[in-house]
Amino acid sequence: MKDSRRPRHIRDIAHLYLSKKKRSMGSVPVRLLVAAQDQTSFSAFHVANIAAAMALRKARVRIHELSGILPNACFYFCHPPDVYLGSRVPVIPGLHGIDLSFDFPGRVDGVDVDAPFHVTLVHLPPFSVERDVLKTADAFTDFDGETWALLLVGDDAVLSDFQAPFVDRLGSYRSLVLSTGVGRTHVDDEGPRELGGVFDWEASLPDRVPIVLRSPEIPLSLTYLSLCDSLLGKMVSARRRHHGVVSREAFAGSRPRR
C-alpha cells in the first residue's frame, strides 16, 4: 500500500525543506525604533503601512505606540476612540495579525516557527516634540535581539542633532533614513544610510486601513513593500555577517509571491 504521506511533487519536497529550515533557525527578534523629524511626516501612517508590509512578508509584528501624538498607529487599524486614545489593555489585536500596545516593549514573548522575523516596531515621539527621543528608548533594557532605527524626514533637510544620537547608539548601518517629502534628503557620509522615499501618500491619510492591506497592488503599496523588502534584506545581511543564523534564501523562501 502506498504511503499517502510521501511527498509527490518537488514543491512538496521544497515546502518540507523550508519548514525544517525555519524551525531550526527560529524567529529572529528585531526591534525597530521609528521617529520622525517633525509632525508633518505623519509618522503613524507610515508606521502602520510598514507594519502591514512586514506582516505580508510573514513577519510577526507588534507595534508599541509611544509617540504621544494623534493620529497614532492604532488609529490606522480601525479601532474606536476608546482604544486609539490609549487603551488600558496590554495587547490589542489588529488587522492581519498585527498586535498593538501602548506599553513599553519587553522581551519577545513566544516563538512563531513560521515567521522568519519577530519585529517589535516602536513608534517614538517626533524630534520636534521631544528633543531627545532616545530617552524613551533608554527604558528598553530587556531585549536580546537586534535594534535598528528608521528616521522619517521631510523636504531637503535632516537635522544633524536628530541623526547623531541614533548613529552613535546603533551605528550608521542600523540607522536608516526614509524620506517622506518631495525634496532630496541630505545624508552625511558618516550618518545614517538612506532607505529610500515614499511619495504621494497624503491623499491616503484619512483611510483607517493601511493602504498596503486595502489595495496591495497600487503603486503606493508597492513602494512600502519594496522598502520593507530592502529593510528586511539589510537585517538578514547583518544577521548573516554577525551571527550566521538566517540565510537570505530562507527569508526569500518565506515570502509569498505577488
Side-chain angles (χ1 to χ4, degrees), residues 56-106:
L56 289 180
R57 293 309 192 222
K58 295 192 175 180
R60 182 180 175 191
V61 185
R62 176 176 294 175
I63 300 173
H64 288 265
E65 176 53 69
L66 304 177
S67 70
I69 59 173
L70 291 173
N72 56 36
C74 195
F75 173 87
Y76 285 106
F77 285 87
C78 297
H79 291 294
D82 63 320
V83 175
Y84 69 70
L85 290 177
S87 174
R88 295 180 181 274
V89 179
V91 179
I92 309 159
L95 299 174
H96 209 80
I98 299 169
D99 293 333
L100 300 106
S101 175
F102 288 92
D103 292 339
F104 282 80

Side-chain angles (χ1 to χ4, degrees), residues 44-53 56 76-78 95 98 198-225:
F45 175 83
H46 304 293
V47 163
N49 279 285
I50 290 168
L56 289 180
Y76 285 106
F77 285 87
C78 297
L95 299 174
I98 299 169
V198 56
F199 312 105
D200 299 325
W201 47 269
E202 292 88 347
S204 299
L205 272 175
D207 196 338
R208 297 290 307 280
V209 176
I211 196 67
V212 172
L213 299 180
R214 170 86 72 189
S215 305
E217 299 298 330
I218 68 171
L220 180 58
S221 298
L222 295 177
T223 296
Y224 282 113
L225 288 165

Side-chain angles (χ1 to χ4, degrees), residues 169-240:
R169 182 74 58 86
L170 305 175
S172 61
Y173 189 82
R174 287 189 172 85
S175 303
L176 306 171
V177 167
L178 175 64
S179 175
T180 61
V182 296
R184 178 172 174 76
T185 300
H186 300 294
V187 178
D188 297 333
D189 291 338
E190 297 182 356
R193 305 299 90 190
E194 289 188 70
L195 182 63
V198 56
F199 312 105
D200 299 325
W201 47 269
E202 292 88 347
S204 299
L205 272 175
D207 196 338
R208 297 290 307 280
V209 176
I211 196 67
V212 172
L213 299 180
R214 170 86 72 189
S215 305
E217 299 298 330
I218 68 171
L220 180 58
S221 298
L222 295 177
T223 296
Y224 282 113
L225 288 165
S226 177
L227 291 169
C228 176
D229 288 343
S230 178
L231 176 58
L232 293 179
K234 291 178 185 298
M235 292 175 176
V236 167
S237 178
R239 192 76 177 183
R240 289 183 68 187

Side-chain angles (χ1 to χ4, degrees), residues 9-20:
H9 194 280
I10 186 62
R11 286 175 298 186
D12 300 321
I13 297 172
H15 173 75
L16 291 174
Y17 171 79
L18 289 173
S19 297
K20 291 179 180 178

